[in-house]
Amino acid sequence: MKIVMLGAPGAGKGTQAKRIAEKYGIPHVSTGDIFRANIKNGTDLGKEAKTYMDEGKLVPDELTVRILLDRVAQDDCKNGYVLDGFPRTIPQAEVLDGELKKLNEKIDFAINVDVPDDNIVNRMGGRRACLKCGATYHMTHLPPKTEGICDSCGSELVLRDDDKPETVKKRLAVYHEQTQPLIDFYSKQGVLKTVDGTVDAEDVFRAITDILDKN
Ligand code: ADP
Ligand code: AMP
């Protein structure tokens, strides 16, 4: 099963993608997590990506596509995966489609987690992220068991540099301009499923599993 998560930054794609990955036994592939791991490790890729990320811009397609295709070519992806934060542009989606076609494969579901912009700004300010294992929390909606500490790996939780309100506004503008057209792209392929992302994370997950289990 190959799944693409769509939605604005902060809509809950990562939160849901991790649950999907766990329930269906497929890897969670987040381009944002891959970039953050590279930044943390001081690689050249990380240094280049950081210049865009800190400004709320997208990392260029060429670089992003390369790291994504490398990742999904790994053995653990052979029975499917859930993509979180990729594709973010039509050219990215077209390259992915082209690569899948060569293998006689396709994206089975594009899950659009729908949340209005007003809710997003509030969510991002409260988001706390673990840069070690990629887990995310929200100070009030989804708090960790111990304040400031990751439930999964015990590392310290941080406010991401790009979650500051000014950057969030820029990221939302970039989303509407470059990423939202993917809703139409996957709708035309007949694989788009939209869920209400404003309800509790548990209820969003139930709506998603209903879709995945019925189809
Ligand atoms: P994305 O991956 O789309 O950028 P995240 O999954 O990191 O978004 O979620 C953004 C923030 O909102 C996080 O702090 C997360 O804990 C919180 N969150 C996720 N889903 C919900 C929900 N259904 N209700 C309230 N807060 C949520
Ligand atoms: P995310 O963790 O998905 O919110 O991504 C954080 C940041 O990483 C984005 O704001 C972009 O700067 C960059 N990024 C992640 N995925 C992509 C992508 N598919 N295309 C371009 N930039 C990306």
Side-chain angles (χ1 to χ4, degrees):
M1 185 155 58
K2 296 187 184 62
I3 303 171
V4 160
M5 302 301 293
L6 295 178
K13 300 182 297 296
T15 302
Q16 298 303 328
K18 284 190 190 74
R19 294 176 189 208
I20 294 169
E22 198 178 320
K23 178 168 163 94
Y24 297 94
I26 50 178
H28 166 215
V29 175
S30 156
T31 37
D33 282 352
I34 296 173
F35 288 139
R36 281 185 290 277
N38 275 274
I39 292 172
K40 196 163 176 246
N41 293 330
T43 68
D44 288 344
L45 169 73
K47 281 179 196 142
E48 184 173 355
K50 188 171 170 25
T51 60
Y52 299 96
M53 291 167 75
D54 282 353
E55 289 197 25
K57 294 180 184 162
L58 295 184
V59 176
D61 285 343
E62 198 194 74
L63 185 61
T64 309
V65 162
R66 187 153 42 87
I67 63 146
L68 187 278
L69 294 181
D70 278 357
R71 177 65 189 90
V72 297
Q74 287 171 22
D75 240 24
D76 63 331
C77 287
K78 65 176 186 294
N79 293 325
Y81 41 75
V82 51
L83 300 185
D84 161 19
F86 187 99
R88 257 184 164 97
T89 65
I90 296 280
Q92 290 181 10
E94 287 173 343
V95 174
L96 177 63
D97 260 18
E99 291 298 315
L100 288 173
K101 258 188 205 121
K102 286 184 203 162
L103 304 167
N104 233 347
E105 292 173 1
K106 64 175 190 58
I107 294 298
D108 301 299
F109 297 97
I111 310 273
N112 177 31
V113 184
D114 190 28
V115 177
D117 287 10
D118 288 352
N119 300 30
I120 297 285
V121 178
N122 164 293
R123 277 195 192 180
M124 303 294 247
R127 169 156 70 181
R128 292 297 177 271
C130 173
L131 296 183
K132 187 163 180 223
C133 75
T136 49
Y137 303 86
H138 190 281
M139 290 196 318
T140 43
H141 304 308
L142 284 167
K145 291 190 184 97
T146 310
E147 199 185 317
I149 303 293
C150 178
D151 290 351
S152 309
C153 74
S155 301
E156 196 187 339
L157 300 176
V158 297
L159 173 69
R160 275 168 45 179
D161 286 341
D162 59 347
D163 279 352
K164 307 209 164 108
E166 273 322 294
T167 318
V168 169
K169 283 184 196 140
K170 279 192 215 150
R171 292 169 66 201
L172 275 173
V174 167
Y175 166 75
H176 289 300
E177 191 187 322
Q178 300 196 57
T179 308
Q180 211 169 7
L182 290 171
I183 293 177
D184 202 35
F185 180 94
Y186 285 111
S187 170
K188 283 185 180 138
Q189 292 192 3
V191 296
L192 182 78
K193 307 282 174 190
T194 295
V195 295
D196 178 3
T198 63
V199 296
D200 275 1
E202 274 309 315
D203 295 329
V204 181
F205 188 55
R206 203 165 303 123
I208 292 174
T209 54
D210 277 354
I211 291 166
L212 299 180
D213 292 343
K214 257 186 224 137
N215 290 272

